[in-house]
Amino acid sequence: MSQLSKKRKIEVVDTLIAEYPDAGCALDHKSVFQLLVATVLSAQTTDASVNRVTPALFKKAPDAKRMAKLSAEEISEYIHSIGMYRQKAKHVKELSEILTEKYGGNVPQSFDALTSLPGVGRKTANVVLSVGFGEEHLAVDTHVQRLANKIGLVETDNVLGTELALMKAIPENRWTKAHHALIFHGRRVCHARKPDCENCCIENICKKNSV
C-alpha cells in the first residue's frame, strides 16, 4: 500500500499533533517583518543557524524601512555564516524596499503579494500567513515532503504536489498544527537516514505497518 486510508491519515495527523502540543515556528522573531526575513534566510539552512545571525541584524534594522536603508553588502556582513548569504542579502534588501515603497513598511496579508516579493516562495508565504497572521496554511519544504511520503499521508514526487495533497488529506482546521507537528516529528524521531521507529508515536499506524 502506497498511501494510508483517509481515516488513517487523520488518525496519524491527530496523533502527531497530540504528541507535539508545543510544536511551533522555531525561527526567532518579534514582528511579521522579522518572521518574513528569517524565513527567507532559512532556505536550505537550519533554523538554528538563522537564529544565530538575526539578533544582530534585527537590532540594526528591526523593520522594513530601516532594513531598506542598508546595502546588500551591509546585510551580507550580518548573515555571511549561512548558505547563499549574498543572494539572500540581495533578496532581503529588495523586499524591504518594496515593502517600504508599496506597503508603507508593512507585510501584506496576501499570498499573491507575498510570493511576488524577491526570495519569497510558496513555503515562505505560507509560513508568514500561518505564523504571522494566524491563518490555516500548510508550509511544505523537502523535509515535510519526505516525511509525508514516508508515513503514507501522500504519494507525490514534488513539494507542490505534496502541499496540494496534504490540503486534501488533512482537515483545514488542522493545517497549521499538522505542519509544525510533521517538522518536529522529522527532527526528533523520523530521521531520514535512521528513523527511530521503536520510539515513534505512530509506529503502529504508519504506512509501513498498514494493511
Side-chain angles (χ1 to χ4, degrees), residues 8-180:
R8 277 290 181 99
K9 290 178 182 179
I10 295 175
E11 184 180 359
V12 164
V13 168
D14 286 346
T15 301
L16 289 174
I17 291 173
E19 179 74 7
Y20 307 107
D22 298 323
C25 181
L27 293 168
D28 296 336
H29 62 280
K30 295 181 180 178
S31 67
V32 179
F33 170 72
Q34 292 183 8
L35 171 65
L36 171 61
V37 171
T39 309
V40 168
L41 296 181
S42 71
Q44 299 183 41
T45 305
T46 65
D47 291 348
S49 297
V50 174
N51 288 339
R52 284 194 289 270
V53 303
T54 50
L57 175 62
F58 291 155
K59 183 178 180 180
K60 177 70 174 181
D63 53 48
K65 292 181 180 179
R66 277 176 277 192
M67 190 73 77
K69 292 180 180 178
L70 299 180
S71 66
E73 289 73 21
E74 288 176 303
I75 297 172
S76 293
E77 292 176 5
Y78 287 93
I79 65 170
H80 64 85
S81 64
I82 66 174
M84 303 183 298
Y85 72 92
R86 289 191 179 88
Q87 185 64 34
K88 291 177 181 178
K90 182 173 180 288
H91 286 157
V92 170
K93 164 69 174 175
E94 292 175 348
L95 71 83
S96 297
E97 290 177 334
I98 293 171
L99 293 180
T100 299
E101 296 168 5
K102 190 173 181 179
Y103 300 101
N106 299 312
V107 177
Q109 190 175 348
S110 159
F111 184 86
D112 289 341
L114 285 168
T115 53
S116 72
L117 296 172
V120 179
R122 294 184 64 89
K123 180 226 173 180
T124 296
N126 282 326
V127 168
V128 171
L129 292 171
S130 171
V131 178
F133 292 105
E135 297 182 1
E136 290 289 340
H137 287 269
L138 271 162
V140 177
D141 57 14
T142 54
H143 301 293
V144 172
Q145 178 192 346
R146 172 190 68 81
L147 192 63
N149 277 273
K150 188 179 185 69
I151 292 171
L153 294 177
V154 300
E155 186 181 11
T156 60
D157 59 6
N158 61 79
V159 170
L160 177 58
T162 299
E163 178 188 333
L164 298 178
L166 285 175
M167 289 171 68
K168 291 181 180 179
I170 301 171
E172 185 174 350
N173 65 353
R174 298 181 185 64
W175 284 356
T176 295
K177 288 184 177 180
H179 156 67
H180 291 306

